[in-house]
Amino acid sequence: MKPTKKIVAALVGLACYAAGMSQSVGATCPPQYQESWVAPQFITATQVLNAALKSVDASLSTQLLFQSERLNSAVAVLTKQKSLAASQLSDANRTAAQSVATGLGVIAQTERVKAARFDFGGEFGQGFSPCEVYATRSVIANRDADMVTELNSRVQAEVMAAPGRYGSRPDAARQLYKDNEASCTQDMVKAGLCKSVGATPGASMSVATLFDPAAEGDPTYKAKSAFINNIVGLPDQPLDGLTGMARDSYMMAKMRRDAVLSPAVASLKALQLNHSGVQGAETGQGVPMAKMLSDEVARYAGGTAANEAWTRTMAAQNERGAMVEILKIKALDMALQVRQLRQYERIEASLAALVAAEAQASAAAGAAQVSDDQRRAPKNTARREIQ
């Protein structure tokens, strides 16, 4: 038993004993003895009880203070733990929210990249080989745009009897004979027209030569130029020695002749350049224009390795890629239609030149007939008068 409990038990026992003693003394002792003997006992017992109560109260106060401090300490620790737990929970929630936000951002960016790759990547959304097709189409477009200037310059440089050009006919004949030597055939050698068979026999005598692919500077290209010069003929003589009306008449006749011949000359030279790999400003890498267009058409027409590659690529294309490829095909078709329109224009110009030539011939024949009738008219009149 603890000391405090022992003290309380002793006090209780002492009180009981004192009470018994008081009753016994009261019962056996007269009152005058009770005050002198019992009262001090009560006072002593009261003092002992008060001392014991104070001791118990001090002990209880100490215990209560200690327990209160422990409770306060426990509450403080609990509060701190709750605060720390709340802070840790808040940090954990914030970190988790940041991680989720970062993850969602990565997912969104991945989705955008995937959509962009799917819609604009060369594998799914740009049609067949966009870089290759763009490079080829750019060369074709630049070549086609420069063809007008190239055609005019080639006509003036390579055609002996080009419109507006004068020259010595004997010198031109010798140069034309020299240009045709490479196309000399065995029959021409037997006929004595040339000494040996040339590198391109008969090429300068056949219109099919204009449609043969050739690079500028090789024998086939020279044979094409020689064929055109064979068709057009020798140039007109210079105006040396002509003055006045004779000069003006000669120039007027040449202009009429050039106007009639120029559509045919331009058409022949256009055929030559279309099937020749000429080198010039933005004219490609020596590949004929007809060859580049033929390759583009063969990619979609079938029966070629390019068509097989195109078919495999289109099998993986999405809707956008198919639409882009349709636009490429439509653009190629439009370019071919433009070239066909130009061909029709040249044909129309050539037909108009033929009509003009026939009209000139008819007018010349009519004028000659009138002149002949006028010369014969006086003789007929004289015959009528004699009759």
Side-chain angles (χ1 to χ4, degrees), residues 3-4 52-66:
T4 304
L53 288 176
K54 290 181 180 179
S55 177
V56 171
D57 183 60
S59 177
L60 289 176
S61 297
T62 302
Q63 292 293 329
L64 289 175
L65 180 60
F66 176 73

Side-chain angles (χ1 to χ4, degrees), residues 20 22 51 57 68 104 106 163 208-209 211 215 234 244 278 289 352:
S22 297
D57 183 60
S68 176
L104 292 176
V106 172
T209 305
F211 299 92
L234 300 176
V278 296
M289 186 74 164

